[in-house]
Amino acid sequence: MLDGDSEVRQLFADWCGLRNYELLATDNLFQFLRYSKEMQPDLFVLDLDMKDVSGWEVAGMLASDEGLKEIPIVMLMLSEPVSYTHLTLPTTPYV
């Protein structure tokens, strides 16, 4: 996981820990890329809105790497809570 917010990284670490998933999380791009090549994760979680680099840019880096390009990517962007009461179809908001 690459995310610039330590609280978000901790939230994901707690959630993963409860489900017996291993999470490697950092806010450092170079550390993230090194971990990715060494560990070959099952999934990437990228923050779309970081200070120095966007999740889209990192996704491009991963897609250009032969060893990493087939690993699925989840893009994450947190925002203020949204009301879904105006929707007419039955929906469930997911985070």
Side-chain angles (χ1 to χ4, degrees):
M1 172 180 211
L2 180 62
D3 195 295
D5 187 326
S6 62
E7 290 182 20
V8 173
R9 291 192 310 271
Q10 187 60 55
L11 176 71
F12 269 78
D14 293 346
W15 186 88
C16 288
L18 290 172
R19 288 152 183 83
N20 294 319
Y21 295 130
E22 182 180 1
L23 175 72
L24 298 173
T26 184
D27 64 348
N28 181 291
L29 175 62
F30 299 107
Q31 190 177 47
F32 172 81
L33 293 172
R34 189 181 80 234
Y35 285 166
S36 298
K37 291 179 184 200
E38 291 174 5
M39 304 295 186
Q40 291 290 303
D42 296 320
L43 176 72
F44 292 117
V45 178
L46 305 177
D47 182 358
L48 282 173
D49 190 29
M50 293 195 317
K51 290 180 187 174
D52 299 327
V53 65
S54 78
W56 294 115
E57 291 171 296
V58 177
M61 293 175 198
L62 297 171
S64 67
D65 186 302
E66 284 298 316
L68 303 174
K69 68 180 184 179
E70 297 298 322
I71 299 173
I73 298 172
V74 172
M75 298 295 219
L76 174 70
M77 186 169 147
L78 298 182
S79 64
E80 296 298 317
V82 176
S83 172
Y84 293 94
T85 57
H86 66 282
L87 297 176
T88 57
L89 297 175
T91 61
T92 304
Y94 291 94
V95 174

